[in-house]
Amino acid sequence: MNTETERKFLVLDDTYKAAAYGSSHIRQGYLCSDRRRTIRVRIRDAHAYLTIKGPSLNGGLSRYEFEQEIPMDDAAMLMTMCDPGIIDKTRWLVKSGQHTFEVDEFHGDNDGLVIAEVELASEDEAYEKPAFIGQEVTGYRRYYNSQLRQNPYRLWK
């Protein structure tokens, strides 16, 4: 079974950019998003994916995830069928110890929000936090991408 275990954090400053070994542009839309499941279409640079995620477990630390690469033409068509509120972001990859932190710098309606995630093999796995990592927001629904499309960061202020 494909279970995703990750922690999410706010980012304190932009030093992650100098530490990054790669970045990509991501646009994603949601065909369905509720507490029981999300169905997402993602275009990441020249690749496209369909992802289905189950409900969050253990305070938001883990949940079932199924992801399949799909043809770009299909992704473009599916994006037209998504609910309003496309997520647009740049993802920066930063190595820290044995882990890679994915730092998402949001654009558009979520401009100014930067969140880092680290995937873990288990909920209690140790990891090294880079200096740019701030408050943990794992399990805070307002930081889920599916929620940011409905209640964008620009409306929080």
Side-chain angles (χ1 to χ4, degrees):
M1 190 160 90
N2 298 330
T3 300
E4 171 188 61
T5 301
E6 67 183 13
R7 291 186 177 276
K8 287 186 180 214
F9 304 89
L10 296 179
V11 172
L12 299 173
D13 57 43
D14 69 354
T15 56
Y16 62 89
K17 291 181 181 180
Y21 67 84
S23 68
S24 57
H25 181 245
I26 295 173
R27 287 181 34 83
Q28 64 192 41
Y30 290 83
L31 295 163
C32 173
S33 60
D34 60 38
R35 288 190 178 271
R36 295 173 297 150
R37 78 187 74 77
T38 60
I39 303 173
R40 173 184 79 198
V41 179
R42 173 181 279 175
I43 298 173
R44 183 175 184 166
D45 295 332
H47 299 275
Y49 306 89
L50 181 65
T51 306
I52 301 168
K53 294 187 178 192
S56 291
L57 307 170
N58 306 323
L61 277 173
S62 62
R63 63 187 182 171
Y64 173 79
E65 178 182 87
F66 169 84
E67 185 168 80
Q68 182 70 46
E69 188 165 0
I70 60 174
M72 190 64 76
D73 290 345
D74 288 334
M77 180 55 73
L78 289 169
M79 288 289 272
T80 68
M81 299 176 353
C82 287
D83 293 332
I86 300 298
I87 297 294
D88 185 21
K89 60 188 179 181
T90 301
R91 173 162 289 169
W92 302 83
L93 303 175
V94 179
K95 190 84 169 145
S96 180
Q98 299 298 312
H99 296 90
T100 297
F101 279 76
E102 296 177 335
V103 181
D104 289 342
E105 175 187 6
F106 290 86
H107 309 297
D109 286 344
N110 292 296
D111 193 50
L113 180 61
V114 183
I115 298 174
E117 299 178 353
V118 61
E119 282 203 30
L120 304 171
S122 66
E123 294 174 16
D124 58 353
E125 181 181 2
Y127 56 93
E128 295 176 34
K129 287 186 197 176
F132 59 79
I133 294 296
Q135 175 189 349
E136 183 168 4
V137 294
T138 302
Y140 289 52
R141 288 188 53 79
R142 76 184 310 186
Y143 292 103
Y144 290 8
N145 284 255
S146 61
Q147 296 301 305
L148 289 170
R149 73 159 191 81
Q150 296 174 28
N151 184 27
Y153 186 65
R154 70 172 172 79
L155 298 177
W156 296 9
K157 301 175 185 176

